[in-house]
Amino acid sequence: MATINLKICMGTMCYVMGGADLKSVAEALPYDIKKHLSVTYSPCLGCCNEQPTPPYVELNGKIIAGVSKNNLIQILKEELANVI
Ligand code: FES
């Protein structure tokens, strides 16, 4: 059973600002992270008009802004440390 639910925004704004890269990173994660992860995608997380810092992901119900392909793995490792 997954302990981390990661939802990546694939809405237009997030997609062009790096969401496409996040999808690639999520698909290529190391097994030690991937085995705890459930990845889904959203057409819009509803944040894009509130803050100018896409792309957004939802991690176990928390919205995180400005996620990049460089910091996604670190964010997931920190979440894993908190929930395991
Ligand atoms: S397009 Fe990503 S939050 Fe709306």
Side-chain angles (χ1 to χ4, degrees):
M1 183 172 153
T3 53
I4 295 180
N5 293 300
L6 173 67
K7 188 182 292 183
I8 299 173
C9 184
M10 289 282 108
T12 302
M13 183 182 288
C14 288
Y15 189 86
V16 299
M17 296 295 288
D21 291 336
L22 300 183
K23 184 174 189 271
S24 299
V25 170
E27 290 171 351
L29 285 168
Y31 178 73
D32 63 325
I33 296 175
K34 208 173 208 173
K35 68 183 179 184
H36 298 289
L37 199 63
S38 169
V39 181
T40 57
Y41 301 94
S42 170
C44 180
L45 290 172
C47 311
C48 45
N49 292 325
E50 297 172 10
Q51 303 170 38
T53 52
Y56 295 93
V57 302
E58 185 181 291
L59 187 62
N60 282 346
K62 297 175 294 194
I63 297 290
I64 302 175
V67 180
S68 72
K69 64 181 179 183
N70 295 325
N71 68 10
L72 179 59
I73 291 178
Q74 186 59 39
I75 289 169
L76 293 173
K77 284 181 177 177
E78 289 172 9
E79 184 70 11
L80 265 177
N82 288 334
V83 296
I84 290 183

